Amino acid sequence: MPLSAESKEVVRATLPAVGAAIGDITPLFYKKMFAAHPELERDLFNRGNQKQGEQQKALAGSIAAFATLQLDPDPARVEAILSRIAHKHASLGIKPDEYWIVHKHLFEAIVEVLGEAVTPEVAAAWDELYWLMANTLIKLEDDLYKAAGVAPGDVWRTVRVAERRHQSSDTVSFVLTSLDGAPLPAFRPGQYLSVGVKLPDGARQIRQYSLTNAPAQGDWRITVKRIVATTTPDGTVAPAGEVSNFLYDNVFEGDELQVTTPFGDLVLPDDGAPLLLASAGIGCTPMIGMLAHLAETGDERKVSVLHADRSVANHAHRHELATLVERIPSAEVHRWYEDLGAREPLETVRVGRADVSDLPLDPNTKAYLCGPLPFMLSLREALIERNVPAENIHYEVFGPDSWAPNA
C-alpha cells in the first residue's frame, strides 16, 4: 500500500528539513534506545560500528532513501533496499515487536531535534511513512523465516567446528558441522550466516560471514579475517574487530559455535548469463562460495573472476581460487596486487588496482562485487562505462550498507 496522498505532500514539504537534521536524529535515537534497552547494544548491535558512526549513517541513508522513493516511486530500488535490510534482520533474528522499540525512540529523537516543527500533521505523516517501511520489512522477514522453516526470530543453532585452516597470514576458515552429524540446512551460493560469541566482558556480539563452500557439501564453511585497530591519516581510530579476533584467537577443532540459518540476497542466478565475480581483500569469500558451486555443478557459462589485494601473501583462498577456476570450463581469472614482492607481473597477474578497461565483457554480463566500498563504487562506474546495465551489477557490503540508498 503506497503512502497516502495527504502524507505524501507533508513528507515532500518536510523531507529537506528532516534530511538535513537526520545526521543529528539518528545518533540521538541510538543513544535513547540503548539507554532504555542496554541489552540491545550489548547483545545485538555491532559496538564497533556504533563507535565509528557507521550504523547511524546507514540508518539515516535508508530512511531518507525510502522517503524519497515514496515521492518518486521506483519499485525496483525500494525492493533492492528493503530486501537487503530484511535479510540482515533475519540473520539477526529480528522480531516484529522490536520495530515498536525503534519507533518509540526514533520519534522521540525527531521531536527533540526538530522541536515545534513537528506538528501533529507532520508527526502523522512521518508515522505513516515509518510503519509503511516497517510493515513491509516485517512481511519480508516473515517470508524469509517461513522459507527457512523457522519461527520468526528462531534462527540460532549450535554447530561444531570440524576443521580450522589458515587461508592467509591473517585469515582462518572454519568448517562447521551439526552436533548429530546430520547435514546442515541448504543455502544459496553467495549467502552468509551470523556468528554470535560471548566476549570476556559478558556481551554477546554478532557478525555475519559469507559461506565459502558449495551448498551440496552438507556442511558450512566460513572464513574470518582478524581486524586490527588502525588509525587513519586524519587521526580517526578504527577499533579492532571484537568478534574476528575472538574467533581467530580462541576457536579450534571440536569447539562449539552459535550460528544462524543462512540468509543473504547476493545469490547466483540460474539464467545462464555470463558472470563477472569481482572482489578485493576479504571480499573474496562470497565469490569463493559461488565458484565452488559452479565447479561442483559443472556450470559451462562464461565466468570472469577479478580479484585485487595488497599482496600475494595477503590473498586469502589464493590457491583455492585458482583451483576452482581451473575446474570451471569457461572461467578465467585476473588478479591485481599492490605489491608483487619479488614476483614478475604476468598477463593475468598485475601490479596495481583492478581494471576492466581491456576485459572482454558481454553486454548481458551479471556482475557481483564484494570488497571495500571505494573499490566497488569505482568498479561499478567502470562497468557502466563498458555498457553493463546498472541493474545487472550486484554487491555485498560487509557491515552497515551505506551504498544501498545511492545504488
Side-chain angles (χ1 to χ4, degrees):
M1 180 181 298
L3 198 62
S4 68
E6 296 83 357
S7 293
K8 182 181 290 188
E9 291 312 307
V10 174
V11 170
R12 189 186 304 277
T14 56
L15 181 57
V18 174
I22 206 162
D24 297 320
I25 292 169
T26 50
L28 181 59
F29 150 67
Y30 279 111
K31 180 179 179 181
K32 286 178 172 291
M33 183 172 68
F34 291 152
H37 299 274
E39 73 281 0
L40 294 179
E41 183 176 24
R42 184 186 66 239
D43 299 335
L44 180 62
F45 284 83
N46 183 319
R47 297 189 297 192
N49 288 334
Q50 288 293 323
K51 290 177 182 177
Q52 296 180 79
E54 295 303 314
Q55 189 67 57
Q56 294 91 325
K57 293 176 186 176
L59 175 63
S62 296
I63 292 173
F66 184 79
T68 301
L69 291 171
Q70 300 313 302
L71 306 180
D72 299 299
D74 185 338
R77 283 193 64 201
V78 171
E79 181 181 0
I81 292 172
L82 296 190
S83 173
R84 186 166 299 273
I85 295 172
H87 276 273
K88 292 289 186 183
H89 284 183
S91 184
L92 295 170
I94 298 298
K95 298 178 181 179
D97 57 0
E98 286 164 309
Y99 284 92
W100 287 96
I101 296 174
V102 170
H103 176 271
K104 170 180 168 59
H105 300 291
L106 179 60
F107 275 75
E108 285 181 357
I110 290 173
V111 170
E112 185 169 328
V113 171
L114 296 180
E116 295 180 356
V118 186
T119 64
E121 181 184 38
V122 170
W126 281 90
D127 187 76
E128 182 182 337
L129 179 80
Y130 172 84
W131 284 113
L132 176 60
M133 184 175 182
N135 286 325
T136 304
L137 285 169
I138 289 169
K139 175 62 168 61
L140 289 172
E141 289 153 21
D142 186 60
D143 290 343
L144 291 173
Y145 291 136
K146 287 178 179 175
V150 299
D154 187 20
V155 296
W156 291 94
R157 69 175 62 231
T158 303
V159 295
R160 180 171 289 116
V161 176
E163 178 185 300
R164 171 188 166 116
R165 177 176 296 181
H166 281 272
Q167 299 295 346
S168 74
S169 58
D170 58 1
T171 60
V172 62
S173 63
F174 300 97
V175 174
L176 310 176
T177 61
S178 64
L179 298 184
D180 61 5
L184 290 167
F187 60 92
R188 297 182 65 186
Q191 291 191 308
Y192 54 81
L193 52 76
S194 289
V195 178
V197 300
K198 184 65 71 73
L199 297 174
D201 65 356
R204 184 195 75 160
Q205 285 286 285
I206 303 169
R207 302 293 184 269
Q208 281 90 31
Y209 296 98
S210 297
L211 289 150
T212 57
N213 61 323
Q217 294 171 356
D219 51 24
W220 295 340
R221 185 180 67 164
I222 59 173
T223 300
V224 177
K225 177 181 179 179
R226 69 182 313 168
I227 306 298
V228 300
T230 57
T231 303
T232 61
D234 65 0
T236 302
V237 177
E242 290 188 294
V243 176
S244 69
N245 283 285
F246 182 90
L247 293 171
Y248 189 97
D249 293 334
N250 297 287
V251 176
F252 296 88
E253 295 87 346
D255 289 340
E256 295 181 356
L257 282 177
Q258 294 294 309
V259 303
T260 66
T261 298
F263 293 99
D265 63 346
L266 184 82
V267 294
L268 279 179
D270 296 323
D271 57 9
L275 296 173
L276 173 68
L277 307 181
S279 59
I282 197 59
C284 68
T285 52
M287 309 311 173
I288 289 292
M290 291 180 182
L291 289 169
H293 172 73
L294 294 170
E296 193 83 13
T297 57
D299 198 295
E300 295 185 353
R301 77 183 95 176
K302 172 71 174 176
V303 183
S304 297
V305 182
L306 279 66
H307 183 76
D309 226 310
R310 294 197 306 273
S311 69
V312 177
N314 286 113
H315 184 175
H317 293 283
R318 178 189 55 80
H319 178 67
E320 184 175 4
L321 173 67
T323 300
L324 289 171
V325 168
E326 288 179 358
R327 291 175 57 195
I328 301 169
S330 298
E332 60 182 19
V333 62
H334 301 267
R335 292 180 285 155
W336 287 264
Y337 298 105
E338 295 176 22
D339 180 6
L340 265 179
R343 293 174 174 268
E344 293 293 327
L346 303 171
E347 182 179 354
T348 59
V349 182
R350 312 173 200 178
V351 178
R353 300 180 181 275
D355 181 6
V356 297
S357 60
D358 60 353
L359 188 73
L361 284 177
D362 187 299
N364 297 315
T365 294
K366 300 285 182 69
Y368 294 81
L369 319 180
C370 189
L373 193 56
F375 163 81
M376 293 195 293
L377 291 172
S378 173
L379 201 57
R380 179 178 186 267
E381 182 178 341
L383 289 171
I384 290 174
E385 289 179 358
R386 293 291 312 280
N387 298 317
V388 176
E391 60 269 23
N392 283 8
I393 304 173
H394 312 276
Y395 69 97
E396 183 67 88
V397 173
F398 292 163
D401 189 354
S402 56
W403 182 0
N406 303 304

